[in-house]
Amino acid sequence: LACLIERFVADNDTESITQPEITDDGVLKDLDIEGSVDYGTNATVLAAKDFGGMYAVKPLAVIRPAGADDVARVIRQALHSPTLTVAARGNGHSINGQAMAHNGLVIDMKSMGDNNRIDVNVTSMYADVGGGALWADVLKRCVLGYGLAPKSWTDYLDLTVGGTLSNAGVSGQAFRYGPQTSTVTELEVVTGNGERTVCSNSQNSELFFSVLGGLGQFGIITRARVLLQPAPDMVRWIRVVYSEFDEFTRDAELLIMSQESFNYVEGFVLANSDDPVNGWPSVPLDSNQTFDPTQLPKHTGPVLYCLEVALHYSNHDDPSTVNKMVEKLLGRLRYIEHLRFEIDLSYMNFLLRVKHVEQAARASGIWDTPHPWLNMFVSKRDIAAFNRIMFQKILKNGVNGPMLTYPLLRSKWDNRSSVALPQGEIFYLVALLRFSHSHPKESEIKQMVAQNQEVLQTCINNGFDFKLYLPHYESTVEWKKHFGDQWGRFVERKSQFDPKAVLAPGQKIFTRNH
Ligand code: FAD
């Protein structure tokens, strides 16, 4: 992990604060923007970090644009240089340096100020949202101001709109509405040619679909039109436990295929042990609930499966109607009786639930340590084998954080977008959300990375149909494999919208050319 070592070097770098002479070829000295250019160590060191904490790639400068025109000016200026690259940085929640730019320009999208505002159109039920706005702010404004809310979310909301739309954006609502990329109808994008363009399904549609799930390769999203629906007041949040994987998947698939279902369906795998992080205590939703392991069948294996669902309701609903609906939906499922946990909470608190996890992790120092997370989509065809080989063996002790797995429907994804998916209508998200303790040794992080590699290699050796989500590769050859028969389209889109490969160099898909 040379990157880890680099990180320590970067942290201790005391290079001078102002550096007006700019780039190797002086190209930045003509940059005329309304916002600001920051060459200072504080800004560049910050832009050299991300949530993954394993890469440290310092940019030349950090740009704080006043708006989309500044973004266009920066890209056009970079095009004048033979080498300069530009990376939009959302909230830096990538794992593998995807929002970094070695000696390039990092555009801090969160600092777009008024341009990150959230304009709600009540009549047409959409919000126009700045690309650097956080989903948490979109939630608060839409719900508190208008009683409306976007349809599809991520589990955690301190992510930017442009950042998740560049990947997909999935959570427990995606089985019904598709990923977040399926719930936007218009984008304003500044392309790698430096052109500010509005695009949609019907206008500049090639650009629209390129950018959705496009890993920042074709343009910088400066505004998105997000579809809204009436927000519920309350949520019944429920977890039920299974000892058998086939029953867990049968029920999860039943719920995502049914017309009448919960509003949210997810699931996770846990160790069949009393380990406070990886085992039974990770299931209860409230401190007054306990997991009673004597309820488990005699020959339960090394791991258990938890189906997590939620039902929306309104303050006006009669409690007995809500209870009846819950019992009706749960009545079809085969979870272990008595291993059922539930709480009622406001819709906002439900959507902000991971914020509490963040606060606790910050307090114990494990939010800022490295996170070698692995996210993938695994075809339904191979998920049972994946369970046997990975969850029940390689990963049976857990990853010190959630091991999510839940099914999604391919038909809810637009295959004109740039995301690569496995074959078949049903595929599972598998997310290994690893945490360390507060002072991990480099060797411990290396072990986690090595286990990710083992999982990936085992998938390949077994011929599993899978794709990385939030993909990360080091070479064009690997990217070509990732995109498979979509590679030609991806390359064609690149040559149209960012022919000099100025944008998002941290993805390591293309090399800057002139
Ligand atoms: P960054 O990491 O800053 O950027 C990601 C990539 O997009 C970079 O290549 C960057 O250059 C590019 N980019 C950023 N902004 C723009 C823009 N405006 N226009 C074009 N390109 C841009 N994902 C899910 O789908 N579901 C989840 O539930 C989920 N939960 C998460 C929880 C946590 C705690 C973390 C750390 C991540 C989670 N993610 C989840 C992953 C998240 O969607 C990605 O990290 C995503 O990149 C958003 O993060 P960001 O806004 O910080 O973007």
Side-chain angles (χ1 to χ4, degrees):
L1 280 190
C3 41
L4 270 178
I5 295 153
E6 261 181 74
R7 182 165 67 94
F8 296 124
V9 174
D11 282 348
N12 296 317
D13 196 339
T14 50
E15 160 198 334
S16 70
I17 302 238
T18 38
Q19 206 182 48
E21 262 326 298
I22 338 294
T23 67
D24 297 348
D25 51 9
V27 75
L28 268 197
K29 63 177 186 286
D30 303 327
L31 181 61
D32 181 20
I33 58 170
E34 280 176 49
S36 63
V37 185
D38 191 340
Y39 300 95
T41 309
N42 286 351
T44 53
V45 165
L46 199 71
K49 290 182 181 173
D50 64 15
F51 183 82
M54 294 178 293
Y55 287 74
V57 177
K58 258 180 109 176
L60 175 73
V62 174
I63 312 280
R64 302 202 182 86
D69 285 335
D70 272 359
V71 172
R73 287 183 192 112
V74 169
I75 293 176
R76 284 202 295 268
Q77 198 69 18
L79 286 166
H80 288 142
S81 145
T83 53
L84 208 52
T85 55
V86 178
R89 185 177 200 269
N91 206 17
H93 278 51
S94 289
I95 298 301
N96 295 292
Q98 287 95 330
M100 296 177 192
H102 177 62
N103 273 337
L105 305 175
V106 167
I107 303 188
D108 176 10
M109 296 303 291
K110 274 201 313 179
S111 70
M112 278 212 309
D114 196 37
N115 286 284
N116 280 332
R117 69 175 178 269
I118 297 147
D119 289 330
V120 176
N121 184 321
V122 178
T123 320
S124 304
M125 300 273 270
Y126 65 71
D128 278 333
V129 180
L134 294 179
W135 283 104
D137 293 328
V138 178
L139 171 74
K140 288 170 196 162
R141 175 140 178 92
C142 293
V143 173
L144 299 177
Y146 305 91
L148 298 172
K151 300 174 172 186
S152 195
W153 294 98
T154 46
D155 296 343
Y156 171 72
L157 304 190
D158 279 3
L159 307 170
T160 65
V161 168
T164 71
L165 292 178
S166 299
N167 286 293
V170 295
S171 183
Q173 303 83 10
F175 78 91
R176 180 169 291 172
Y177 300 111
Q180 291 178 318
T181 43
S182 293
T183 63
V184 292
T185 57
E186 186 181 290
L187 299 173
E188 182 192 71
V189 172
V190 180
T191 67
N193 294 314
E195 287 160 9
R196 185 176 168 178
T197 312
V198 173
C199 56
S200 68
N201 193 356
S202 54
Q203 184 188 0
N204 299 311
S205 62
E206 187 62 21
L207 178 61
F208 181 68
F209 291 113
S210 299
V211 166
L212 293 172
L215 307 174
Q217 294 305 299
F218 311 107
I220 295 184
I221 301 168
T222 47
R223 180 177 58 76
R225 181 162 291 177
V226 182
L227 293 176
L228 303 177
Q229 63 186 5
D233 300 311
M234 296 292 292
V235 169
R236 170 87 42 97
W237 181 14
I238 305 166
R239 286 179 175 169
V240 291
V241 177
Y242 295 77
S243 60
E244 302 305 321
F245 189 67
D246 56 351
E247 292 180 357
F248 163 77
T249 53
R250 188 206 74 118
D251 284 358
E253 290 174 21
L254 180 78
L255 290 175
I256 66 159
M257 302 291 280
S258 302
Q259 283 300 327
E260 192 176 55
S261 189
F262 288 102
N263 299 96
Y264 163 104
V265 178
E266 283 202 7
F268 61 94
V269 183
L270 63 136
N272 183 13
S273 77
D274 62 359
D275 183 283
V277 178
N278 300 294
W280 308 322
S282 64
V283 179
L285 289 165
D286 198 63
S287 53
N288 64 15
Q289 301 169 347
T290 48
F291 186 105
D292 175 7
T294 65
Q295 301 292 339
L296 293 169
K298 280 237 162 56
H299 301 291
T300 302
V303 294
L304 301 170
Y305 311 94
C306 181
L307 184 65
E308 179 177 77
V309 294
L311 187 73
H312 294 171
Y313 64 92
S314 120
N315 285 334
H316 306 298
D317 287 333
D318 187 334
S320 71
T321 318
V322 179
N323 291 341
K324 238 189 239 157
M325 188 62 184
V326 167
E327 296 316 320
K328 184 174 173 196
L329 293 172
L330 287 181
R332 302 159 68 197
L333 311 183
R334 298 187 199 166
Y335 57 91
I336 302 168
E337 220 191 327
H338 305 301
L339 289 181
R340 165 178 164 180
F341 304 86
E342 59 204 289
I343 53 167
D344 291 272
L345 71 176
S346 73
Y347 179 64
M348 290 255 289
N349 279 341
F350 175 69
L351 286 178
L352 293 168
R353 64 200 180 280
V354 181
K355 193 72 193 168
H356 306 295
V357 179
E358 175 186 349
Q359 282 156 355
R362 280 192 190 280
S364 64
I366 60 166
W367 193 257
D368 296 319
T369 52
H371 302 98
W373 286 9
L374 180 66
N375 280 270
M376 56 207 295
F377 296 131
V378 180
S379 172
K380 168 182 160 72
R381 188 194 76 183
D382 297 315
I383 198 68
F386 188 97
N387 170 58
R388 278 194 304 277
I389 304 171
M390 316 293 183
F391 291 138
Q392 294 190 330
K393 291 206 181 84
I394 299 176
L395 300 166
K396 68 171 188 281
N397 297 322
V399 295
N400 279 322
M403 292 197 287
L404 306 182
T405 188
Y406 57 88
L408 295 163
L409 298 173
R410 198 179 210 272
S411 51
K412 303 287 180 182
W413 298 59
D414 197 311
N415 56 25
R416 292 170 291 181
S417 84
S418 292
V419 191
L421 297 175
Q423 299 299 311
E425 170 61 354
I426 299 181
F427 59 91
Y428 280 73
L429 171 77
V430 172
L432 307 180
L433 308 182
R434 300 173 183 276
F435 281 84
S436 62
H437 51 86
S438 54
H439 297 287
K441 290 197 197 104
E442 197 176 321
S443 61
E444 294 171 77
I445 304 300
K446 273 184 172 169
Q447 262 173 21
M448 295 186 197
V449 173
Q451 198 180 55
N452 287 343
Q453 282 307 327
E454 186 186 356
V455 168
L456 286 178
Q457 197 53 50
T458 310
C459 285
I460 294 167
N461 295 348
N462 283 279
F464 289 173
D465 178 21
F466 78 100
K467 296 287 179 194
L468 285 189
Y469 175 50
L470 312 168
H472 157 64
Y473 294 106
E474 296 289 337
S475 70
T476 308
V477 176
E478 291 168 296
W479 279 110
K480 200 171 164 182
K481 237 187 184 161
H482 171 77
F483 283 105
D485 57 12
Q486 289 176 41
W487 175 244
R489 184 181 72 176
F490 201 81
V491 171
E492 174 54 38
R493 287 173 164 181
K494 188 72 174 176
S495 68
Q496 197 178 344
F497 300 118
D498 182 25
K500 293 192 174 174
V502 169
L503 296 175
Q507 299 278 6
K508 301 183 189 159
I509 307 176
F510 299 102
T511 312
R512 174 77 166 92
N513 63 76
H514 49 276

